[in-house]
Amino acid sequence: MNQLMRMTVLVVLLAFALMYGASALNSSQGYSGANTLTIYNWGDYIDPELITEFEKESGLKVIYSTFDSNEAMMTKIEQGGTTFDISVPSEYAISKMKEENLLLPIDKSKLPNLKYIDPKYMNLSFDPNNEYSIPYFWGTVGIVYNPELVKGIEFKSWDDLWNPSLHNQILLVDGAREVIGFGLNSLHYSLNDTNEEHLQQAKNKLKELTPNVKAIVGDEIKLLLANEEAAVGVVWSGDAAEIIDENDKLTYVVPEEGSNLWFDNIVIPKTAKNVEGAHKFINFMLDPEHAAQNAEYVGYATPNKKALELLPEDISGDKRFYPSPEVTAKLEVYRNLGKRMLSHYNDLFLEFKMHRK
Ligand code: N2P
């Protein structure tokens, strides 16, 4: 080979390497453009058929990835290098992301289906006028349990989790606010408490729960409980609904000391490359037929009034998953406690997790 040919081969090889590198980057970091829509959602939080249908209807290719906590999602978006067009944070995370300038405003003129949302889920304090977020699902945190395996315990109170007969029988949702929150609630403190002494008390009380805790897990919590691998779980309401759907021996309660009421809304992160497509997707999910299909599939409570009418009565009338206003009035919504306090909650949760090892 003469020198010129060698050079040409080298240049061609280099060009291929660059092209390969760029496409690898595209798929791993969710680069999107006019023909794609990049969605970053909670695990098990959409009926996959709806994604296929949206792709057909819009002509967009959906690139889908999932997270299992608000904290993980926020860290990823804050770090940059992603191009998510859609995400679904909970209320305190929306408030924090707004503060950090991580969200784009929603253009409501592009959402004709917004009229189907029940006004009681609009204009909540974490996002006045829904400038940055549109209701997706709502729910509670509570205890799912198998009465056959817990010898008469009815789980009226969080304290029932500490019953010594539950040795190695409890699975916990892997969420810092959820676990520290029920620790605080069990002591009759608010789950937004920032008093250091109360937080230490909650952490110490949680440490005493350790012998009863079998594992702290993500979405696999549903399979484990439905298969009776453990008798009790601290879970989000819709996960409980799905578990009970699989195994109707189990039931779900929200303890009487109080618990968390949460709202997950769809947002368009600042990283979006397809803002037009993001609005199309939000409007698609607001369609009552789609919202009903989605609620039936994932088990969570829909804020879409028209969709609720379309759901079978055994779902929409189930007070465990659509609690009455009297019950929800007693529950607390997480407040955005600020960056420092949130990382303190994360540290306390980590300490609790380490204590188990
Ligand atoms: C779905 C998780 C629900 C999120 N797997 C609760 N905010």
Side-chain angles (χ1 to χ4, degrees), residues 41-45 67-68 70 88-91 137 139-141 178 218-219 222 236-239 242 260 262-264 298 300 334:
N41 195 2
W42 294 86
D44 294 346
Y45 218 30
F67 55 84
D68 54 17
N70 283 298
V88 191
S90 307
E91 66 301 300
F137 282 120
T140 57
V141 170
E178 284 72 16
D219 285 322
K222 288 180 280 191
W236 291 299
S237 47
D239 282 10
E242 254 197 82
N260 169 230
W262 54 261
F263 303 95
D264 288 348
V298 301
Y300 282 91
Y334 296 132

PDB file of all heavy atoms in Angstrom, residues 41-45 67-68 70 88-91 137 139-141 178 218-219 222 236-239 242 260 262-264 298 300 334, ligand 1:
ATOM      1  N   ASN A  41     -39.610   7.861  32.946  1.00  0.00           N
ATOM      2  CA  ASN A  41     -40.781   7.667  33.813  1.00  0.00           C
ATOM      3  C   ASN A  41     -40.437   6.692  34.938  1.00  0.00           C
ATOM      4  O   ASN A  41     -39.447   5.961  34.867  1.00  0.00           O
ATOM      5  CB  ASN A  41     -41.924   7.113  32.952  1.00  0.00           C
ATOM      6  CG  ASN A  41     -43.293   7.190  33.618  1.00  0.00           C
ATOM      7  OD1 ASN A  41     -43.428   7.692  34.734  1.00  0.00           O
ATOM      8  ND2 ASN A  41     -44.304   6.688  32.936  1.00  0.00           N
ATOM      9  N   TRP A  42     -41.282   6.642  35.958  1.00  0.00           N
ATOM     10  CA  TRP A  42     -41.171   5.602  36.987  1.00  0.00           C
ATOM     11  C   TRP A  42     -41.296   4.229  36.326  1.00  0.00           C
ATOM     12  O   TRP A  42     -42.012   4.085  35.322  1.00  0.00           O
ATOM     13  CB  TRP A  42     -42.308   5.737  37.996  1.00  0.00           C
ATOM     14  CG  TRP A  42     -42.308   6.958  38.834  1.00  0.00           C
ATOM     15  CD1 TRP A  42     -42.841   8.171  38.503  1.00  0.00           C
ATOM     16  CD2 TRP A  42     -41.793   7.098  40.163  1.00  0.00           C
ATOM     17  NE1 TRP A  42     -42.676   9.054  39.551  1.00  0.00           N
ATOM     18  CE2 TRP A  42     -42.043   8.416  40.585  1.00  0.00           C
ATOM     19  CE3 TRP A  42     -41.152   6.220  41.044  1.00  0.00           C
ATOM     20  CZ2 TRP A  42     -41.680   8.893  41.834  1.00  0.00           C
ATOM     21  CZ3 TRP A  42     -40.782   6.701  42.304  1.00  0.00           C
ATOM     22  CH2 TRP A  42     -41.039   8.014  42.680  1.00  0.00           C
ATOM     23  N   GLY A  43     -40.677   3.213  36.910  1.00  0.00           N
ATOM     24  CA  GLY A  43     -40.857   1.844  36.424  1.00  0.00           C
ATOM     25  C   GLY A  43     -42.307   1.413  36.566  1.00  0.00           C
ATOM     26  O   GLY A  43     -42.997   1.859  37.490  1.00  0.00           O
ATOM     27  N   ASP A  44     -42.775   0.564  35.647  1.00  0.00           N
ATOM     28  CA  ASP A  44     -44.156   0.043  35.693  1.00  0.00           C
ATOM     29  C   ASP A  44     -45.186   1.159  35.834  1.00  0.00           C
ATOM     30  O   ASP A  44     -46.091   1.070  36.670  1.00  0.00           O
ATOM     31  CB  ASP A  44     -44.354  -0.905  36.902  1.00  0.00           C
ATOM     32  CG  ASP A  44     -43.539  -2.165  36.781  1.00  0.00           C
ATOM     33  OD1 ASP A  44     -43.032  -2.452  35.681  1.00  0.00           O
ATOM     34  OD2 ASP A  44     -43.409  -2.886  37.797  1.00  0.00           O
ATOM     35  N   TYR A  45     -45.064   2.202  35.050  1.00  0.00           N
ATOM     36  CA  TYR A  45     -45.957   3.344  35.267  1.00  0.00           C
ATOM     37  C   TYR A  45     -46.690   3.746  33.997  1.00  0.00           C
ATOM     38  O   TYR A  45     -47.217   4.851  33.914  1.00  0.00           O
ATOM     39  CB  TYR A  45     -45.149   4.521  35.818  1.00  0.00           C
ATOM     40  CG  TYR A  45     -45.860   5.342  36.878  1.00  0.00           C
ATOM     41  CD1 TYR A  45     -46.802   4.804  37.746  1.00  0.00           C
ATOM     42  CD2 TYR A  45     -45.573   6.706  37.037  1.00  0.00           C
ATOM     43  CE1 TYR A  45     -47.423   5.566  38.718  1.00  0.00           C
ATOM     44  CE2 TYR A  45     -46.199   7.476  38.012  1.00  0.00           C
ATOM     45  CZ  TYR A  45     -47.121   6.893  38.844  1.00  0.00           C
ATOM     46  OH  TYR A  45     -47.741   7.658  39.819  1.00  0.00           O
ATOM     47  N   PHE A  67     -36.957   5.235  36.149  1.00  0.00           N
ATOM     48  CA  PHE A  67     -36.258   5.463  37.419  1.00  0.00           C
ATOM     49  C   PHE A  67     -37.123   4.893  38.532  1.00  0.00           C
ATOM     50  O   PHE A  67     -38.290   4.557  38.291  1.00  0.00           O
ATOM     51  CB  PHE A  67     -36.008   6.969  37.635  1.00  0.00           C
ATOM     52  CG  PHE A  67     -37.237   7.841  37.568  1.00  0.00           C
ATOM     53  CD1 PHE A  67     -38.052   8.019  38.669  1.00  0.00           C
ATOM     54  CD2 PHE A  67     -37.594   8.485  36.376  1.00  0.00           C
ATOM     55  CE1 PHE A  67     -39.186   8.823  38.608  1.00  0.00           C
ATOM     56  CE2 PHE A  67     -38.741   9.288  36.305  1.00  0.00           C
ATOM     57  CZ  PHE A  67     -39.530   9.457  37.419  1.00  0.00           C
ATOM     58  N   ASP A  68     -36.534   4.767  39.752  1.00  0.00           N
ATOM     59  CA  ASP A  68     -37.362   4.234  40.839  1.00  0.00           C
ATOM     60  C   ASP A  68     -37.442   5.151  42.051  1.00  0.00           C
ATOM     61  O   ASP A  68     -37.998   4.777  43.073  1.00  0.00           O
ATOM     62  CB  ASP A  68     -36.931   2.811  41.235  1.00  0.00           C
ATOM     63  CG  ASP A  68     -35.454   2.753  41.573  1.00  0.00           C
ATOM     64  OD1 ASP A  68     -34.865   3.827  41.807  1.00  0.00           O
ATOM     65  OD2 ASP A  68     -34.891   1.641  41.600  1.00  0.00           O
ATOM     66  N   ASN A  70     -37.644   9.704  43.054  1.00  0.00           N
ATOM     67  CA  ASN A  70     -37.511  11.103  42.634  1.00  0.00           C
ATOM     68  C   ASN A  70     -36.062  11.547  42.710  1.00  0.00           C
ATOM     69  O   ASN A  70     -35.582  12.295  41.853  1.00  0.00           O
ATOM     70  CB  ASN A  70     -38.355  11.996  43.550  1.00  0.00           C
ATOM     71  CG  ASN A  70     -39.830  11.929  43.224  1.00  0.00           C
ATOM     72  OD1 ASN A  70     -40.241  12.289  42.117  1.00  0.00           O
ATOM     73  ND2 ASN A  70     -40.630  11.456  44.163  1.00  0.00           N
ATOM     74  N   VAL A  88     -41.851  12.454  35.044  1.00  0.00           N
ATOM     75  CA  VAL A  88     -43.059  12.400  35.881  1.00  0.00           C
ATOM     76  C   VAL A  88     -42.705  12.485  37.376  1.00  0.00           C
ATOM     77  O   VAL A  88     -42.864  11.509  38.112  1.00  0.00           O
ATOM     78  CB  VAL A  88     -43.872  11.104  35.593  1.00  0.00           C
ATOM     79  CG1 VAL A  88     -45.250  11.174  36.246  1.00  0.00           C
ATOM     80  CG2 VAL A  88     -44.028  10.862  34.096  1.00  0.00           C
ATOM     81  N   PRO A  89     -42.233  13.628  37.841  1.00  0.00           N
ATOM     82  CA  PRO A  89     -41.853  13.760  39.256  1.00  0.00           C
ATOM     83  C   PRO A  89     -43.072  13.865  40.179  1.00  0.00           C
ATOM     84  O   PRO A  89     -44.166  14.206  39.726  1.00  0.00           O
ATOM     85  CB  PRO A  89     -41.097  15.095  39.297  1.00  0.00           C
ATOM     86  CG  PRO A  89     -41.023  15.594  37.901  1.00  0.00           C
ATOM     87  CD  PRO A  89     -42.012  14.855  37.080  1.00  0.00           C
ATOM     88  N   SER A  90     -42.838  13.617  41.471  1.00  0.00           N
ATOM     89  CA  SER A  90     -43.867  13.900  42.477  1.00  0.00           C
ATOM     90  C   SER A  90     -43.786  15.374  42.862  1.00  0.00           C
ATOM     91  O   SER A  90     -42.811  16.066  42.571  1.00  0.00           O
ATOM     92  CB  SER A  90     -43.646  13.053  43.722  1.00  0.00           C
ATOM     93  OG  SER A  90     -43.539  11.697  43.371  1.00  0.00           O
ATOM     94  N   GLU A  91     -44.823  15.810  43.599  1.00  0.00           N
ATOM     95  CA  GLU A  91     -45.007  17.243  43.881  1.00  0.00           C
ATOM     96  C   GLU A  91     -43.786  17.947  44.478  1.00  0.00           C
ATOM     97  O   GLU A  91     -43.392  19.010  43.994  1.00  0.00           O
ATOM     98  CB  GLU A  91     -46.237  17.443  44.775  1.00  0.00           C
ATOM     99  CG  GLU A  91     -46.157  16.874  46.190  1.00  0.00           C
ATOM    100  CD  GLU A  91     -45.923  15.385  46.248  1.00  0.00           C
ATOM    101  OE1 GLU A  91     -46.754  14.645  45.712  1.00  0.00           O
ATOM    102  OE2 GLU A  91     -44.908  14.951  46.843  1.00  0.00           O
ATOM    103  N   PHE A 137     -50.935  10.686  37.917  1.00  0.00           N
ATOM    104  CA  PHE A 137     -51.567   9.778  38.874  1.00  0.00           C
ATOM    105  C   PHE A 137     -51.442  10.372  40.269  1.00  0.00           C
ATOM    106  O   PHE A 137     -50.617  11.268  40.502  1.00  0.00           O
ATOM    107  CB  PHE A 137     -50.885   8.399  38.869  1.00  0.00           C
ATOM    108  CG  PHE A 137     -51.281   7.521  37.715  1.00  0.00           C
ATOM    109  CD1 PHE A 137     -50.331   7.058  36.815  1.00  0.00           C
ATOM    110  CD2 PHE A 137     -52.608   7.149  37.525  1.00  0.00           C
ATOM    111  CE1 PHE A 137     -50.704   6.242  35.743  1.00  0.00           C
ATOM    112  CE2 PHE A 137     -52.985   6.342  36.470  1.00  0.00           C
ATOM    113  CZ  PHE A 137     -52.029   5.890  35.576  1.00  0.00           C
ATOM    114  N   GLY A 139     -51.891   9.119  44.738  1.00  0.00           N
ATOM    115  CA  GLY A 139     -52.046   7.952  45.601  1.00  0.00           C
ATOM    116  C   GLY A 139     -51.543   8.199  47.005  1.00  0.00           C
ATOM    117  O   GLY A 139     -51.294   9.334  47.420  1.00  0.00           O
ATOM    118  N   THR A 140     -51.380   7.092  47.726  1.00  0.00           N
ATOM    119  CA  THR A 140     -50.966   7.154  49.133  1.00  0.00           C
ATOM    120  C   THR A 140     -49.798   6.193  49.361  1.00  0.00           C
ATOM    121  O   THR A 140     -49.400   5.474  48.453  1.00  0.00           O
ATOM    122  CB  THR A 140     -52.134   6.714  50.056  1.00  0.00           C
ATOM    123  OG1 THR A 140     -52.542   5.392  49.685  1.00  0.00           O
ATOM    124  CG2 THR A 140     -53.315   7.665  49.934  1.00  0.00           C
ATOM    125  N   VAL A 141     -49.273   6.222  50.589  1.00  0.00           N
ATOM    126  CA  VAL A 141     -48.314   5.202  51.034  1.00  0.00           C
ATOM    127  C   VAL A 141     -49.008   4.434  52.160  1.00  0.00           C
ATOM    128  O   VAL A 141     -49.683   5.045  53.006  1.00  0.00           O
ATOM    129  CB  VAL A 141     -47.017   5.860  51.566  1.00  0.00           C
ATOM    130  CG1 VAL A 141     -46.115   4.822  52.246  1.00  0.00           C
ATOM    131  CG2 VAL A 141     -46.263   6.540  50.436  1.00  0.00           C
ATOM    132  N   GLU A 178     -40.295   8.129  51.888  1.00  0.00           N
ATOM    133  CA  GLU A 178     -41.308   7.178  52.340  1.00  0.00           C
ATOM    134  C   GLU A 178     -40.896   6.541  53.669  1.00  0.00           C
ATOM    135  O   GLU A 178     -41.683   6.489  54.618  1.00  0.00           O
ATOM    136  CB  GLU A 178     -41.523   6.083  51.285  1.00  0.00           C
ATOM    137  CG  GLU A 178     -42.353   6.522  50.073  1.00  0.00           C
ATOM    138  CD  GLU A 178     -41.618   7.471  49.133  1.00  0.00           C
ATOM    139  OE1 GLU A 178     -40.369   7.577  49.232  1.00  0.00           O
ATOM    140  OE2 GLU A 178     -42.274   8.121  48.304  1.00  0.00           O
ATOM    141  N   GLY A 218     -37.152  -2.340  44.939  1.00  0.00           N
ATOM    142  CA  GLY A 218     -37.841  -1.517  43.940  1.00  0.00           C
ATOM    143  C   GLY A 218     -39.106  -2.201  43.446  1.00  0.00           C
ATOM    144  O   GLY A 218     -39.838  -2.817  44.232  1.00  0.00           O
ATOM    145  N   ASP A 219     -39.329  -2.138  42.134  1.00  0.00           N
ATOM    146  CA  ASP A 219     -40.589  -2.644  41.578  1.00  0.00           C
ATOM    147  C   ASP A 219     -40.817  -4.137  41.807  1.00  0.00           C
ATOM    148  O   ASP A 219     -41.953  -4.603  41.751  1.00  0.00           O
ATOM    149  CB  ASP A 219     -40.653  -2.334  40.076  1.00  0.00           C
ATOM    150  CG  ASP A 219     -40.948  -0.856  39.832  1.00  0.00           C
ATOM    151  OD1 ASP A 219     -41.756  -0.285  40.587  1.00  0.00           O
ATOM    152  OD2 ASP A 219     -40.365  -0.276  38.905  1.00  0.00           O
ATOM    153  N   LYS A 222     -43.602  -6.051  44.174  1.00  0.00           N
ATOM    154  CA  LYS A 222     -44.943  -6.543  43.831  1.00  0.00           C
ATOM    155  C   LYS A 222     -44.947  -8.059  43.651  1.00  0.00           C
ATOM    156  O   LYS A 222     -45.799  -8.754  44.202  1.00  0.00           O
ATOM    157  CB  LYS A 222     -45.425  -5.856  42.545  1.00  0.00           C
ATOM    158  CG  LYS A 222     -45.772  -4.405  42.794  1.00  0.00           C
ATOM    159  CD  LYS A 222     -46.247  -3.719  41.547  1.00  0.00           C
ATOM    160  CE  LYS A 222     -45.087  -3.336  40.692  1.00  0.00           C
ATOM    161  NZ  LYS A 222     -45.461  -2.435  39.586  1.00  0.00           N
ATOM    162  N   TRP A 236     -46.487   1.987  47.758  1.00  0.00           N
ATOM    163  CA  TRP A 236     -47.409   2.980  47.198  1.00  0.00           C
ATOM    164  C   TRP A 236     -48.712   2.275  46.841  1.00  0.00           C
ATOM    165  O   TRP A 236     -48.714   1.092  46.434  1.00  0.00           O
ATOM    166  CB  TRP A 236     -46.800   3.600  45.942  1.00  0.00           C
ATOM    167  CG  TRP A 236     -45.614   4.462  46.206  1.00  0.00           C
ATOM    168  CD1 TRP A 236     -45.579   5.594  46.973  1.00  0.00           C
ATOM    169  CD2 TRP A 236     -44.281   4.288  45.685  1.00  0.00           C
ATOM    170  NE1 TRP A 236     -44.298   6.128  46.962  1.00  0.00           N
ATOM    171  CE2 TRP A 236     -43.496   5.352  46.170  1.00  0.00           C
ATOM    172  CE3 TRP A 236     -43.686   3.349  44.842  1.00  0.00           C
ATOM    173  CZ2 TRP A 236     -42.154   5.499  45.863  1.00  0.00           C
ATOM    174  CZ3 TRP A 236     -42.343   3.495  44.521  1.00  0.00           C
ATOM    175  CH2 TRP A 236     -41.585   4.562  45.034  1.00  0.00           C
ATOM    176  N   SER A 237     -49.820   3.010  46.968  1.00  0.00           N
ATOM    177  CA  SER A 237     -51.157   2.438  46.799  1.00  0.00           C
ATOM    178  C   SER A 237     -51.336   1.617  45.516  1.00  0.00           C
ATOM    179  O   SER A 237     -51.877   0.514  45.550  1.00  0.00           O
ATOM    180  CB  SER A 237     -52.202   3.551  46.854  1.00  0.00           C
ATOM    181  OG  SER A 237     -51.809   4.639  46.039  1.00  0.00           O
ATOM    182  N   GLY A 238     -50.875   2.161  44.391  1.00  0.00           N
ATOM    183  CA  GLY A 238     -51.117   1.467  43.119  1.00  0.00           C
ATOM    184  C   GLY A 238     -50.352   0.161  43.026  1.00  0.00           C
ATOM    185  O   GLY A 238     -50.816  -0.794  42.388  1.00  0.00           O
ATOM    186  N   ASP A 239     -49.182   0.108  43.676  1.00  0.00           N
ATOM    187  CA  ASP A 239     -48.455  -1.159  43.701  1.00  0.00           C
ATOM    188  C   ASP A 239     -49.261  -2.182  44.493  1.00  0.00           C
ATOM    189  O   ASP A 239     -49.355  -3.350  44.114  1.00  0.00           O
ATOM    190  CB  ASP A 239     -47.062  -0.981  44.316  1.00  0.00           C
ATOM    191  CG  ASP A 239     -46.086  -0.352  43.323  1.00  0.00           C
ATOM    192  OD1 ASP A 239     -46.554   0.111  42.260  1.00  0.00           O
ATOM    193  OD2 ASP A 239     -44.871  -0.327  43.589  1.00  0.00           O
ATOM    194  N   GLU A 242     -52.012  -3.558  42.366  1.00  0.00           N
ATOM    195  CA  GLU A 242     -51.528  -4.575  41.430  1.00  0.00           C
ATOM    196  C   GLU A 242     -51.257  -5.902  42.126  1.00  0.00           C
ATOM    197  O   GLU A 242     -51.532  -6.972  41.589  1.00  0.00           O
ATOM    198  CB  GLU A 242     -50.242  -4.086  40.765  1.00  0.00           C
ATOM    199  CG  GLU A 242     -50.455  -3.655  39.333  1.00  0.00           C
ATOM    200  CD  GLU A 242     -49.141  -3.573  38.594  1.00  0.00           C
ATOM    201  OE1 GLU A 242     -48.670  -4.634  38.133  1.00  0.00           O
ATOM    202  OE2 GLU A 242     -48.581  -2.472  38.509  1.00  0.00           O
ATOM    203  N   ASN A 260     -48.676   9.533  53.765  1.00  0.00           N
ATOM    204  CA  ASN A 260     -48.382  10.441  52.665  1.00  0.00           C
ATOM    205  C   ASN A 260     -49.473  10.371  51.591  1.00  0.00           C
ATOM    206  O   ASN A 260     -49.918   9.301  51.209  1.00  0.00           O
ATOM    207  CB  ASN A 260     -47.022  10.040  52.075  1.00  0.00           C
ATOM    208  CG  ASN A 260     -46.687  10.713  50.764  1.00  0.00           C
ATOM    209  OD1 ASN A 260     -46.303  10.060  49.799  1.00  0.00           O
ATOM    210  ND2 ASN A 260     -46.825  12.020  50.702  1.00  0.00           N
ATOM    211  N   TRP A 262     -49.701  11.673  47.716  1.00  0.00           N
ATOM    212  CA  TRP A 262     -48.777  12.222  46.715  1.00  0.00           C
ATOM    213  C   TRP A 262     -49.461  12.443  45.373  1.00  0.00           C
ATOM    214  O   TRP A 262     -50.492  11.848  45.075  1.00  0.00           O
ATOM    215  CB  TRP A 262     -47.534  11.330  46.576  1.00  0.00           C
ATOM    216  CG  TRP A 262     -47.838   9.890  46.297  1.00  0.00           C
ATOM    217  CD1 TRP A 262     -47.853   8.875  47.205  1.00  0.00           C
ATOM    218  CD2 TRP A 262     -48.219   9.306  45.048  1.00  0.00           C
ATOM    219  NE1 TRP A 262     -48.217   7.704  46.594  1.00  0.00           N
ATOM    220  CE2 TRP A 262     -48.448   7.938  45.272  1.00  0.00           C
ATOM    221  CE3 TRP A 262     -48.391   9.793  43.755  1.00  0.00           C
ATOM    222  CZ2 TRP A 262     -48.838   7.059  44.266  1.00  0.00           C
ATOM    223  CZ3 TRP A 262     -48.779   8.925  42.740  1.00  0.00           C
ATOM    224  CH2 TRP A 262     -48.984   7.571  43.004  1.00  0.00           C
ATOM    225  N   PHE A 263     -48.830  13.314  44.601  1.00  0.00           N
ATOM    226  CA  PHE A 263     -49.318  13.628  43.260  1.00  0.00           C
ATOM    227  C   PHE A 263     -48.145  13.552  42.292  1.00  0.00           C
ATOM    228  O   PHE A 263     -47.143  14.246  42.499  1.00  0.00           O
ATOM    229  CB  PHE A 263     -49.902  15.045  43.215  1.00  0.00           C
ATOM    230  CG  PHE A 263     -51.004  15.258  44.215  1.00  0.00           C
ATOM    231  CD1 PHE A 263     -50.731  15.813  45.465  1.00  0.00           C
ATOM    232  CD2 PHE A 263     -52.310  14.885  43.918  1.00  0.00           C
ATOM    233  CE1 PHE A 263     -51.745  15.991  46.401  1.00  0.00           C
ATOM    234  CE2 PHE A 263     -53.320  15.065  44.853  1.00  0.00           C
ATOM    235  CZ  PHE A 263     -53.037  15.618  46.095  1.00  0.00           C
ATOM    236  N   ASP A 264     -48.247  12.711  41.286  1.00  0.00           N
ATOM    237  CA  ASP A 264     -47.210  12.646  40.252  1.00  0.00           C
ATOM    238  C   ASP A 264     -47.733  13.351  38.998  1.00  0.00           C
ATOM    239  O   ASP A 264     -48.798  12.983  38.481  1.00  0.00           O
ATOM    240  CB  ASP A 264     -46.880  11.191  39.895  1.00  0.00           C
ATOM    241  CG  ASP A 264     -46.098  10.488  40.998  1.00  0.00           C
ATOM    242  OD1 ASP A 264     -45.623  11.168  41.928  1.00  0.00           O
ATOM    243  OD2 ASP A 264     -45.961   9.250  40.919  1.00  0.00           O
ATOM    244  N   VAL A 298     -51.906   0.120  35.328  1.00  0.00           N
ATOM    245  CA  VAL A 298     -50.878   0.303  36.378  1.00  0.00           C
ATOM    246  C   VAL A 298     -51.429   0.225  37.801  1.00  0.00           C
ATOM    247  O   VAL A 298     -50.667   0.050  38.737  1.00  0.00           O
ATOM    248  CB  VAL A 298     -50.054   1.614  36.225  1.00  0.00           C
ATOM    249  CG1 VAL A 298     -49.332   1.669  34.910  1.00  0.00           C
ATOM    250  CG2 VAL A 298     -50.903   2.837  36.425  1.00  0.00           C
ATOM    251  N   TYR A 300     -52.850   2.638  39.611  1.00  0.00           N
ATOM    252  CA  TYR A 300     -52.871   3.895  40.379  1.00  0.00           C
ATOM    253  C   TYR A 300     -54.137   4.689  40.092  1.00  0.00           C
ATOM    254  O   TYR A 300     -54.849   4.429  39.113  1.00  0.00           O
ATOM    255  CB  TYR A 300     -51.621   4.723  40.056  1.00  0.00           C
ATOM    256  CG  TYR A 300     -50.409   4.188  40.790  1.00  0.00           C
ATOM    257  CD1 TYR A 300     -49.591   3.225  40.213  1.00  0.00           C
ATOM    258  CD2 TYR A 300     -50.128   4.604  42.085  1.00  0.00           C
ATOM    259  CE1 TYR A 300     -48.503   2.710  40.895  1.00  0.00           C
ATOM    260  CE2 TYR A 300     -49.051   4.091  42.780  1.00  0.00           C
ATOM    261  CZ  TYR A 300     -48.238   3.150  42.184  1.00  0.00           C
ATOM    262  OH  TYR A 300     -47.175   2.635  42.863  1.00  0.00           O
ATOM    263  N   TYR A 334     -45.857  15.642  50.746  1.00  0.00           N
ATOM    264  CA  TYR A 334     -44.461  16.022  50.999  1.00  0.00           C
ATOM    265  C   TYR A 334     -44.239  17.465  50.571  1.00  0.00           C
ATOM    266  O   TYR A 334     -44.648  17.863  49.483  1.00  0.00           O
ATOM    267  CB  TYR A 334     -43.485  15.162  50.184  1.00  0.00           C
ATOM    268  CG  TYR A 334     -43.479  13.698  50.504  1.00  0.00           C
ATOM    269  CD1 TYR A 334     -43.537  12.764  49.474  1.00  0.00           C
ATOM    270  CD2 TYR A 334     -43.384  13.239  51.806  1.00  0.00           C
ATOM    271  CE1 TYR A 334     -43.510  11.406  49.738  1.00  0.00           C
ATOM    272  CE2 TYR A 334     -43.363  11.881  52.072  1.00  0.00           C
ATOM    273  CZ  TYR A 334     -43.427  10.974  51.046  1.00  0.00           C
ATOM    274  OH  TYR A 334     -43.410   9.625  51.297  1.00  0.00           O
TER     275      TYR A 334
HETATM  276  C1  N2P B   1     -44.655   3.199  40.152  1.00  0.00           C
HETATM  277  C2  N2P B   1     -44.176   4.137  41.208  1.00  0.00           C
HETATM  278  C3  N2P B   1     -45.198   5.075  41.671  1.00  0.00           C
HETATM  279  C4  N2P B   1     -44.663   6.331  42.118  1.00  0.00           C
HETATM  280  N1  N2P B   1     -43.845   2.060  40.083  1.00  0.00           N
HETATM  281  C5  N2P B   1     -45.176   6.864  43.348  1.00  0.00           C
HETATM  282  N2  N2P B   1     -44.971   8.253  43.417  1.00  0.00           N
END
